[in-house]
Amino acid sequence: MKVALNLHCLHPPLTGIGRYALNLLQQLLEHPRVEEVAGVSHRGWHTRGELAELVSHGRGYEPPLAAGTAGLALLRRLPGRGRLRNWLAQCRTWRNRSRYEGFVYWEPNYLLLPLSNPALATVSDLSHLRHPEFHPPSRLREMERLPETLARARAIVTVSEFTRTEISRCFDIAPEAIGLVPPSVSARFRPHSTAERASLRERYGLPENYLLYTGTIEPRKNLPRLLEAYSALPEELRRGWPLVLAGAVGWGTQEFENTHAAQNTRQVLRLGYVEREHLPALISGAGLLVYPSLYEGFGMPVLEAMACGAPVLTSDAASMPEVAAGAAHLVDPWSVESIAGGLRQVLADAELRRDMTRRGLKVAAGHSWRRSAEMLVEQLARVA
């Protein structure tokens, strides 16, 4: 079987969908049933060797600029550059479509390119329908093409039972017609040694004890309520447990910035985007991962934290209870009081945190990228 995939979601900094696609790409390159793998981007066709190199460094797909291309460097900083890349990919795909003859096309990021090949599309969530306020207008316009993708794709897969139910209800598709290929965690996400955690803390100037949020700063991550809940904790508790925010700045951050400025947040430390190689040790050293997102198709930080041995506080909404599988402390993400109460309860009980760690490691051990890749390959074979 020959597989072609769209590389658009692999542009750094990698989001959850990008990490999902990158890990499954690595498995496809090694799978005995996959004889060839090719990539599609705004630059055109990418060979198996290029994809293997992309996987090896793990940073995502960012082609180097040729000398003297200052104009292209400027384009990278312009708003809408993602849409421009996607449009260029569509144009190049159409011109080079004969090269993809005999390939099954996997689209890891919702919307199909104009290839006539038999196609499998991954739809990770329907937040643009359930909560359009969580997306910029440009993204909502782009996602108007989703019904076209659902009609063209020979099969649809998603990442959780929650999202399978969402797709079924919103688009009147039988649940059994929607495949499931859940994310997993790589071996890098593991409990780290005392020395490894100390080295990470020294690198980033962190105290021995800290709370941690990982993820993009954007509206659906619910950071304003998290800041309000954290600010409501007693001063002594906040001094003992600073809140560390690790993640790139996304869109729609004004409410977060206003809340950060207005609240008593001297103990809030912002790291920005943390490099892939440092993230597991950062998570492993956290006394508690806090992830009160309002809506997720899966919520990879929850599973990554459990694999690293960090206890988790997350939402009782959307897919998070499914992913946590009884190993996390759940709160109402719409309630500042519920988040603050959850923080107080977990931080006050060291034995509870140890029990959450034990249960989380057990849940995480039930996931593997190899198993997820087998599920993906079965779906691709059906499509082929």
Side-chain angles (χ1 to χ4, degrees):
M1 178 168 57
K2 298 180 179 180
V3 179
L5 73 151
N6 185 2
L7 304 182
H8 183 252
C9 65
L10 294 179
H11 286 270
L14 293 179
T15 62
I17 292 176
R19 297 200 307 275
Y20 175 82
L22 188 67
N23 281 282
L24 287 173
L25 170 58
Q26 179 177 11
Q27 296 294 322
L28 291 178
L29 289 168
E30 301 168 357
H31 200 283
R33 294 177 64 185
V34 180
E35 60 183 282
E36 187 58 273
V37 185
V40 187
S41 81
H42 68 288
R43 304 268 297 192
W45 170 274
H46 297 268
T47 66
R48 185 189 193 98
E50 290 176 277
L51 298 183
E53 183 179 355
L54 186 157
V55 164
S56 70
H57 64 63
R59 294 186 300 272
Y61 169 68
E62 188 71 15
L65 292 177
T69 53
L72 288 177
L74 177 62
L75 280 175
R76 281 183 177 176
R77 298 193 294 269
L78 290 177
R81 61 192 181 279
R83 295 194 305 278
L84 175 61
R85 277 199 301 259
N86 203 37
W87 178 79
L88 290 171
Q90 292 193 46
C91 293
R92 287 185 178 272
T93 300
W94 179 253
R95 286 203 302 270
N96 296 288
R97 61 193 182 278
S98 62
R99 302 188 69 173
Y100 297 97
E101 185 176 349
F103 281 76
V104 181
Y105 166 33
W106 173 42
E107 176 50 68
N109 191 22
Y110 295 89
L111 305 176
L112 294 179
L113 294 169
L115 284 167
S116 59
N117 304 57
L120 174 72
T122 297
V123 177
S124 298
D125 67 58
L126 295 182
S127 58
H128 69 287
L129 295 179
R130 294 303 196 190
H131 293 282
E133 69 275 15
F134 295 163
H135 296 274
S138 59
R139 179 62 173 164
L140 296 177
R141 288 193 298 269
E142 188 178 30
M143 290 303 292
E144 290 174 0
R145 294 171 44 214
L146 183 57
E148 175 193 345
T149 281
L150 297 177
R152 282 177 51 206
R154 217 174 257 192
I156 300 294
V157 297
T158 191
V159 296
S160 64
E161 291 289 353
F162 166 77
T163 306
R164 174 148 56 187
T165 300
E166 291 276 87
I167 297 170
S168 175
R169 289 174 177 172
C170 289
F171 293 99
D172 195 23
I173 301 173
E176 58 270 19
I178 304 166
L180 186 64
V181 181
S184 184
V185 286
S186 72
R188 296 181 301 104
F189 290 92
R190 55 172 175 78
H192 283 57
S193 68
T194 301
E196 288 172 319
R197 297 196 302 268
S199 175
L200 186 284
R201 291 198 304 271
E202 183 178 359
R203 173 182 287 272
Y204 286 97
L206 299 178
E208 184 172 357
N209 296 317
Y210 56 89
L211 311 179
L212 177 67
Y213 162 83
T214 66
T216 307
I217 296 176
E218 60 184 13
R220 72 168 164 177
K221 303 304 183 180
N222 203 27
L223 293 181
R225 287 188 183 87
L226 173 59
L227 290 180
E228 290 179 22
Y230 180 75
S231 184
L233 298 178
E235 172 75 19
E236 183 179 358
L237 197 58
R238 281 185 279 116
R239 281 201 305 268
W241 293 95
L243 173 61
V244 176
L245 306 179
V249 175
W251 80 282
T253 61
Q254 192 59 54
E255 183 183 1
F256 164 76
E257 297 293 352
N258 291 344
T259 304
H260 184 266
Q263 297 297 323
N264 186 3
T265 52
R266 285 175 296 175
Q267 288 84 25
V268 176
L269 311 176
R270 297 176 63 175
L271 301 185
Y273 180 75
V274 173
E275 293 297 329
R276 171 178 176 263
E277 59 266 28
H278 301 152
L279 188 59
L282 178 68
I283 296 173
S284 183
L288 180 68
L289 181 100
V290 287
Y291 196 72
S293 179
L294 296 168
Y295 186 100
E296 296 290 333
F298 187 85
M300 288 178 68
V302 172
L303 188 61
E304 291 169 347
M306 292 192 294
C308 288
V312 176
L313 181 146
T314 190
S315 305
D316 64 0
S319 65
M320 275 77 81
E322 176 187 342
V323 176
H329 188 89
L330 303 181
V331 297
D332 177 1
W334 298 95
S335 166
V336 172
E337 292 76 15
S338 179
I339 299 171
L343 289 171
R344 285 194 298 269
Q345 181 178 346
V346 175
L347 294 178
D349 193 337
E351 180 54 40
L352 173 60
R353 295 198 301 275
R354 285 191 289 269
D355 182 58
M356 291 165 65
T357 291
R358 288 191 292 267
R359 286 183 283 146
L361 287 169
K362 186 175 180 179
V363 170
H367 292 259
S368 78
W369 282 116
R370 180 171 296 180
R371 185 178 300 123
S372 296
E374 288 295 339
M375 299 167 80
L376 176 61
V377 168
E378 285 299 325
Q379 293 290 333
L380 289 168
R382 286 180 52 226
V383 168

